[in-house]
Amino acid sequence: MKNFKFQYLVLSLSILMAFTIIFQSQAQMQAPAPSPASFVSQNVGFTQISISYSSPGVKGRTIFGDLVPYGSPWRAGANAPTTIEFSTSVNIGDKTLNAGKYSVFITPNQSGNWTIHFNNKGNAIYAYMQDGKVNTTALTKDDAISLSTSPIKLMETQERLSYSISAGDNKVAKVTFAWENVKLTFDIDTQVDQKLEDFNAVFN
């Protein structure tokens, strides 16, 4: 009888401890982030291209022209800075970007092209705030390059902000940004032919 009571006590304590652990785990569980961290990476030619960003939702709001004002640089995501990183040098537009990590800002425009900024210092947008507004002049001075691109109107609402990278011909990547009713694209030339020429010049 004593042995049975002892086994019953051990079983009861085990059940109690299990419930306590479950309860503590549930109490410590946090709600999902409103703008979850996201990451996309693609090898193109000899280059790895990686974009790190946070992905906010539309949630029934008007994004561009309201939440994101026209004419002012925006961090191109939420929470932490949006960054793009290249493992080797690349060409964007008619300029060369060295290997490294750059912050990405976007200046939306109510009519006409939008501007994509690649910040050479990797700064957060807050580094350029002055009297509650972005100091565009200071930000532009730190641009490694800025790229003008025409926005494409989406037929259906893109609920979550997203970036994608297409390998294309495995020489030139196409990066696509999409959110709400807007899509932006730009090309990244990974300099495959140039790098092959440089390699052959050294080893032949």
PDB file of all heavy atoms in Angstrom, residues 101-124:
ATOM      1  N   LYS A 101      27.997  46.065 -47.682  1.00  0.00           N
ATOM      2  CA  LYS A 101      26.601  46.210 -47.276  1.00  0.00           C
ATOM      3  C   LYS A 101      26.194  47.685 -47.347  1.00  0.00           C
ATOM      4  O   LYS A 101      26.938  48.560 -46.906  1.00  0.00           O
ATOM      5  CB  LYS A 101      26.405  45.685 -45.850  1.00  0.00           C
ATOM      6  CG  LYS A 101      24.963  45.738 -45.362  1.00  0.00           C
ATOM      7  CD  LYS A 101      24.841  45.245 -43.921  1.00  0.00           C
ATOM      8  CE  LYS A 101      25.051  43.751 -43.823  1.00  0.00           C
ATOM      9  NZ  LYS A 101      24.757  43.257 -42.444  1.00  0.00           N
ATOM     10  N   TYR A 102      25.005  47.914 -47.873  1.00  0.00           N
ATOM     11  CA  TYR A 102      24.482  49.266 -48.033  1.00  0.00           C
ATOM     12  C   TYR A 102      23.057  49.331 -47.489  1.00  0.00           C
ATOM     13  O   TYR A 102      22.280  48.384 -47.657  1.00  0.00           O
ATOM     14  CB  TYR A 102      24.455  49.665 -49.514  1.00  0.00           C
ATOM     15  CG  TYR A 102      25.802  49.614 -50.184  1.00  0.00           C
ATOM     16  CD1 TYR A 102      26.299  48.408 -50.699  1.00  0.00           C
ATOM     17  CD2 TYR A 102      26.588  50.753 -50.310  1.00  0.00           C
ATOM     18  CE1 TYR A 102      27.539  48.353 -51.311  1.00  0.00           C
ATOM     19  CE2 TYR A 102      27.837  50.705 -50.932  1.00  0.00           C
ATOM     20  CZ  TYR A 102      28.303  49.501 -51.424  1.00  0.00           C
ATOM     21  OH  TYR A 102      29.537  49.447 -52.028  1.00  0.00           O
ATOM     22  N   SER A 103      22.707  50.460 -46.856  1.00  0.00           N
ATOM     23  CA  SER A 103      21.311  50.684 -46.488  1.00  0.00           C
ATOM     24  C   SER A 103      20.544  51.132 -47.722  1.00  0.00           C
ATOM     25  O   SER A 103      21.086  51.809 -48.598  1.00  0.00           O
ATOM     26  CB  SER A 103      21.201  51.753 -45.406  1.00  0.00           C
ATOM     27  OG  SER A 103      21.665  51.252 -44.165  1.00  0.00           O
ATOM     28  N   VAL A 104      19.277  50.741 -47.766  1.00  0.00           N
ATOM     29  CA  VAL A 104      18.420  51.093 -48.902  1.00  0.00           C
ATOM     30  C   VAL A 104      17.322  52.040 -48.423  1.00  0.00           C
ATOM     31  O   VAL A 104      16.645  51.760 -47.425  1.00  0.00           O
ATOM     32  CB  VAL A 104      17.781  49.840 -49.532  1.00  0.00           C
ATOM     33  CG1 VAL A 104      16.868  50.224 -50.690  1.00  0.00           C
ATOM     34  CG2 VAL A 104      18.854  48.868 -50.005  1.00  0.00           C
ATOM     35  N   PHE A 105      17.175  53.158 -49.109  1.00  0.00           N
ATOM     36  CA  PHE A 105      16.066  54.082 -48.884  1.00  0.00           C
ATOM     37  C   PHE A 105      15.315  54.262 -50.200  1.00  0.00           C
ATOM     38  O   PHE A 105      15.902  54.133 -51.278  1.00  0.00           O
ATOM     39  CB  PHE A 105      16.565  55.451 -48.401  1.00  0.00           C
ATOM     40  CG  PHE A 105      17.423  55.393 -47.172  1.00  0.00           C
ATOM     41  CD1 PHE A 105      18.739  55.838 -47.197  1.00  0.00           C
ATOM     42  CD2 PHE A 105      16.933  54.895 -45.986  1.00  0.00           C
ATOM     43  CE1 PHE A 105      19.533  55.798 -46.060  1.00  0.00           C
ATOM     44  CE2 PHE A 105      17.721  54.842 -44.842  1.00  0.00           C
ATOM     45  CZ  PHE A 105      19.020  55.290 -44.887  1.00  0.00           C
ATOM     46  N   ILE A 106      14.039  54.561 -50.097  1.00  0.00           N
ATOM     47  CA  ILE A 106      13.236  54.838 -51.285  1.00  0.00           C
ATOM     48  C   ILE A 106      12.532  56.177 -51.092  1.00  0.00           C
ATOM     49  O   ILE A 106      11.938  56.435 -50.047  1.00  0.00           O
ATOM     50  CB  ILE A 106      12.184  53.734 -51.523  1.00  0.00           C
ATOM     51  CG1 ILE A 106      12.867  52.399 -51.874  1.00  0.00           C
ATOM     52  CG2 ILE A 106      11.217  54.136 -52.641  1.00  0.00           C
ATOM     53  CD1 ILE A 106      11.907  51.228 -51.998  1.00  0.00           C
ATOM     54  N   THR A 107      12.612  57.040 -52.113  1.00  0.00           N
ATOM     55  CA  THR A 107      11.848  58.283 -52.118  1.00  0.00           C
ATOM     56  C   THR A 107      10.709  58.133 -53.121  1.00  0.00           C
ATOM     57  O   THR A 107      10.942  58.127 -54.337  1.00  0.00           O
ATOM     58  CB  THR A 107      12.720  59.492 -52.508  1.00  0.00           C
ATOM     59  OG1 THR A 107      13.804  59.620 -51.592  1.00  0.00           O
ATOM     60  CG2 THR A 107      11.902  60.774 -52.487  1.00  0.00           C
ATOM     61  N   PRO A 108       9.471  57.973 -52.629  1.00  0.00           N
ATOM     62  CA  PRO A 108       8.328  57.855 -53.545  1.00  0.00           C
ATOM     63  C   PRO A 108       7.948  59.210 -54.123  1.00  0.00           C
ATOM     64  O   PRO A 108       8.203  60.248 -53.508  1.00  0.00           O
ATOM     65  CB  PRO A 108       7.215  57.294 -52.650  1.00  0.00           C
ATOM     66  CG  PRO A 108       7.571  57.743 -51.283  1.00  0.00           C
ATOM     67  CD  PRO A 108       9.076  57.851 -51.219  1.00  0.00           C
ATOM     68  N   ASN A 109       7.355  59.181 -55.280  1.00  0.00           N
ATOM     69  CA  ASN A 109       6.972  60.411 -55.967  1.00  0.00           C
ATOM     70  C   ASN A 109       5.523  60.282 -56.419  1.00  0.00           C
ATOM     71  O   ASN A 109       5.124  59.239 -56.935  1.00  0.00           O
ATOM     72  CB  ASN A 109       7.893  60.643 -57.168  1.00  0.00           C
ATOM     73  CG  ASN A 109       7.804  62.061 -57.707  1.00  0.00           C
ATOM     74  OD1 ASN A 109       6.900  62.816 -57.345  1.00  0.00           O
ATOM     75  ND2 ASN A 109       8.731  62.414 -58.580  1.00  0.00           N
ATOM     76  N   GLN A 110       4.739  61.311 -56.207  1.00  0.00           N
ATOM     77  CA  GLN A 110       3.328  61.245 -56.573  1.00  0.00           C
ATOM     78  C   GLN A 110       3.146  61.128 -58.078  1.00  0.00           C
ATOM     79  O   GLN A 110       2.236  60.463 -58.559  1.00  0.00           O
ATOM     80  CB  GLN A 110       2.579  62.471 -56.043  1.00  0.00           C
ATOM     81  CG  GLN A 110       1.068  62.380 -56.204  1.00  0.00           C
ATOM     82  CD  GLN A 110       0.337  63.476 -55.445  1.00  0.00           C
ATOM     83  OE1 GLN A 110       0.953  64.403 -54.919  1.00  0.00           O
ATOM     84  NE2 GLN A 110      -0.973  63.357 -55.361  1.00  0.00           N
ATOM     85  N   SER A 111       3.991  61.795 -58.827  1.00  0.00           N
ATOM     86  CA  SER A 111       3.943  61.706 -60.290  1.00  0.00           C
ATOM     87  C   SER A 111       5.385  61.647 -60.801  1.00  0.00           C
ATOM     88  O   SER A 111       6.217  62.456 -60.427  1.00  0.00           O
ATOM     89  CB  SER A 111       3.213  62.908 -60.892  1.00  0.00           C
ATOM     90  OG  SER A 111       3.848  64.109 -60.540  1.00  0.00           O
ATOM     91  N   GLY A 112       5.662  60.675 -61.624  1.00  0.00           N
ATOM     92  CA  GLY A 112       7.022  60.528 -62.141  1.00  0.00           C
ATOM     93  C   GLY A 112       7.776  59.403 -61.457  1.00  0.00           C
ATOM     94  O   GLY A 112       7.204  58.585 -60.726  1.00  0.00           O
ATOM     95  N   ASN A 113       9.067  59.362 -61.695  1.00  0.00           N
ATOM     96  CA  ASN A 113       9.901  58.278 -61.197  1.00  0.00           C
ATOM     97  C   ASN A 113      10.152  58.368 -59.694  1.00  0.00           C
ATOM     98  O   ASN A 113      10.114  59.450 -59.106  1.00  0.00           O
ATOM     99  CB  ASN A 113      11.247  58.262 -61.926  1.00  0.00           C
ATOM    100  CG  ASN A 113      11.119  57.765 -63.356  1.00  0.00           C
ATOM    101  OD1 ASN A 113      10.067  57.286 -63.775  1.00  0.00           O
ATOM    102  ND2 ASN A 113      12.188  57.874 -64.117  1.00  0.00           N
ATOM    103  N   TRP A 114      10.411  57.208 -59.103  1.00  0.00           N
ATOM    104  CA  TRP A 114      10.810  57.122 -57.704  1.00  0.00           C
ATOM    105  C   TRP A 114      12.327  56.957 -57.656  1.00  0.00           C
ATOM    106  O   TRP A 114      12.951  56.516 -58.622  1.00  0.00           O
ATOM    107  CB  TRP A 114      10.130  55.946 -57.017  1.00  0.00           C
ATOM    108  CG  TRP A 114       8.641  56.091 -56.868  1.00  0.00           C
ATOM    109  CD1 TRP A 114       7.805  56.870 -57.624  1.00  0.00           C
ATOM    110  CD2 TRP A 114       7.813  55.426 -55.916  1.00  0.00           C
ATOM    111  NE1 TRP A 114       6.521  56.730 -57.205  1.00  0.00           N
ATOM    112  CE2 TRP A 114       6.484  55.855 -56.156  1.00  0.00           C
ATOM    113  CE3 TRP A 114       8.051  54.516 -54.892  1.00  0.00           C
ATOM    114  CZ2 TRP A 114       5.408  55.389 -55.409  1.00  0.00           C
ATOM    115  CZ3 TRP A 114       6.984  54.052 -54.143  1.00  0.00           C
ATOM    116  CH2 TRP A 114       5.679  54.490 -54.389  1.00  0.00           C
ATOM    117  N   THR A 115      12.921  57.296 -56.511  1.00  0.00           N
ATOM    118  CA  THR A 115      14.372  57.191 -56.353  1.00  0.00           C
ATOM    119  C   THR A 115      14.712  56.122 -55.331  1.00  0.00           C
ATOM    120  O   THR A 115      14.140  56.093 -54.242  1.00  0.00           O
ATOM    121  CB  THR A 115      14.976  58.542 -55.913  1.00  0.00           C
ATOM    122  OG1 THR A 115      14.630  59.556 -56.858  1.00  0.00           O
ATOM    123  CG2 THR A 115      16.494  58.438 -55.820  1.00  0.00           C
ATOM    124  N   ILE A 116      15.640  55.250 -55.699  1.00  0.00           N
ATOM    125  CA  ILE A 116      16.175  54.251 -54.778  1.00  0.00           C
ATOM    126  C   ILE A 116      17.582  54.676 -54.405  1.00  0.00           C
ATOM    127  O   ILE A 116      18.434  54.884 -55.275  1.00  0.00           O
ATOM    128  CB  ILE A 116      16.174  52.844 -55.398  1.00  0.00           C
ATOM    129  CG1 ILE A 116      14.756  52.461 -55.837  1.00  0.00           C
ATOM    130  CG2 ILE A 116      16.721  51.811 -54.404  1.00  0.00           C
ATOM    131  CD1 ILE A 116      14.687  51.142 -56.578  1.00  0.00           C
ATOM    132  N   HIS A 117      17.820  54.837 -53.112  1.00  0.00           N
ATOM    133  CA  HIS A 117      19.126  55.282 -52.603  1.00  0.00           C
ATOM    134  C   HIS A 117      19.877  54.092 -52.013  1.00  0.00           C
ATOM    135  O   HIS A 117      19.306  53.307 -51.252  1.00  0.00           O
ATOM    136  CB  HIS A 117      18.947  56.328 -51.492  1.00  0.00           C
ATOM    137  CG  HIS A 117      18.059  57.472 -51.857  1.00  0.00           C
ATOM    138  ND1 HIS A 117      18.540  58.692 -52.287  1.00  0.00           N
ATOM    139  CD2 HIS A 117      16.698  57.599 -51.831  1.00  0.00           C
ATOM    140  CE1 HIS A 117      17.538  59.508 -52.510  1.00  0.00           C
ATOM    141  NE2 HIS A 117      16.399  58.877 -52.240  1.00  0.00           N
ATOM    142  N   PHE A 118      21.147  53.986 -52.328  1.00  0.00           N
ATOM    143  CA  PHE A 118      22.032  52.992 -51.724  1.00  0.00           C
ATOM    144  C   PHE A 118      23.021  53.773 -50.858  1.00  0.00           C
ATOM    145  O   PHE A 118      23.921  54.437 -51.362  1.00  0.00           O
ATOM    146  CB  PHE A 118      22.753  52.181 -52.794  1.00  0.00           C
ATOM    147  CG  PHE A 118      21.818  51.403 -53.674  1.00  0.00           C
ATOM    148  CD1 PHE A 118      21.207  52.006 -54.761  1.00  0.00           C
ATOM    149  CD2 PHE A 118      21.519  50.073 -53.407  1.00  0.00           C
ATOM    150  CE1 PHE A 118      20.329  51.310 -55.582  1.00  0.00           C
ATOM    151  CE2 PHE A 118      20.649  49.360 -54.216  1.00  0.00           C
ATOM    152  CZ  PHE A 118      20.046  49.987 -55.302  1.00  0.00           C
ATOM    153  N   ASN A 119      22.833  53.694 -49.544  1.00  0.00           N
ATOM    154  CA  ASN A 119      23.589  54.517 -48.609  1.00  0.00           C
ATOM    155  C   ASN A 119      24.961  53.912 -48.349  1.00  0.00           C
ATOM    156  O   ASN A 119      25.083  52.791 -47.866  1.00  0.00           O
ATOM    157  CB  ASN A 119      22.806  54.658 -47.309  1.00  0.00           C
ATOM    158  CG  ASN A 119      23.493  55.577 -46.330  1.00  0.00           C
ATOM    159  OD1 ASN A 119      24.374  55.162 -45.603  1.00  0.00           O
ATOM    160  ND2 ASN A 119      23.086  56.837 -46.302  1.00  0.00           N
ATOM    161  N   ASN A 120      25.982  54.705 -48.634  1.00  0.00           N
ATOM    162  CA  ASN A 120      27.359  54.229 -48.548  1.00  0.00           C
ATOM    163  C   ASN A 120      27.805  53.954 -47.116  1.00  0.00           C
ATOM    164  O   ASN A 120      28.685  53.138 -46.873  1.00  0.00           O
ATOM    165  CB  ASN A 120      28.287  55.274 -49.179  1.00  0.00           C
ATOM    166  CG  ASN A 120      29.611  54.699 -49.588  1.00  0.00           C
ATOM    167  OD1 ASN A 120      29.703  53.560 -50.016  1.00  0.00           O
ATOM    168  ND2 ASN A 120      30.650  55.493 -49.451  1.00  0.00           N
ATOM    169  N   LYS A 121      27.186  54.640 -46.134  1.00  0.00           N
ATOM    170  CA  LYS A 121      27.578  54.476 -44.738  1.00  0.00           C
ATOM    171  C   LYS A 121      26.774  53.385 -44.025  1.00  0.00           C
ATOM    172  O   LYS A 121      27.067  53.055 -42.876  1.00  0.00           O
ATOM    173  CB  LYS A 121      27.422  55.802 -43.991  1.00  0.00           C
ATOM    174  CG  LYS A 121      28.405  56.874 -44.448  1.00  0.00           C
ATOM    175  CD  LYS A 121      28.315  58.112 -43.579  1.00  0.00           C
ATOM    176  CE  LYS A 121      29.371  59.138 -43.968  1.00  0.00           C
ATOM    177  NZ  LYS A 121      29.302  60.350 -43.120  1.00  0.00           N
ATOM    178  N   GLY A 122      25.758  52.869 -44.690  1.00  0.00           N
ATOM    179  CA  GLY A 122      24.929  51.865 -44.039  1.00  0.00           C
ATOM    180  C   GLY A 122      24.134  52.432 -42.882  1.00  0.00           C
ATOM    181  O   GLY A 122      23.823  51.740 -41.914  1.00  0.00           O
ATOM    182  N   ASN A 123      23.783  53.716 -42.944  1.00  0.00           N
ATOM    183  CA  ASN A 123      23.089  54.373 -41.850  1.00  0.00           C
ATOM    184  C   ASN A 123      21.611  54.005 -41.803  1.00  0.00           C
ATOM    185  O   ASN A 123      20.998  53.694 -42.826  1.00  0.00           O
ATOM    186  CB  ASN A 123      23.192  55.897 -41.986  1.00  0.00           C
ATOM    187  CG  ASN A 123      24.510  56.431 -41.452  1.00  0.00           C
ATOM    188  OD1 ASN A 123      25.151  55.812 -40.623  1.00  0.00           O
ATOM    189  ND2 ASN A 123      24.913  57.588 -41.942  1.00  0.00           N
ATOM    190  N   ALA A 124      21.036  54.096 -40.621  1.00  0.00           N
ATOM    191  CA  ALA A 124      19.590  54.004 -40.472  1.00  0.00           C
ATOM    192  C   ALA A 124      18.984  55.352 -40.848  1.00  0.00           C
ATOM    193  O   ALA A 124      19.657  56.384 -40.824  1.00  0.00           O
ATOM    194  CB  ALA A 124      19.222  53.636 -39.035  1.00  0.00           C
TER     195      ALA A 124
END
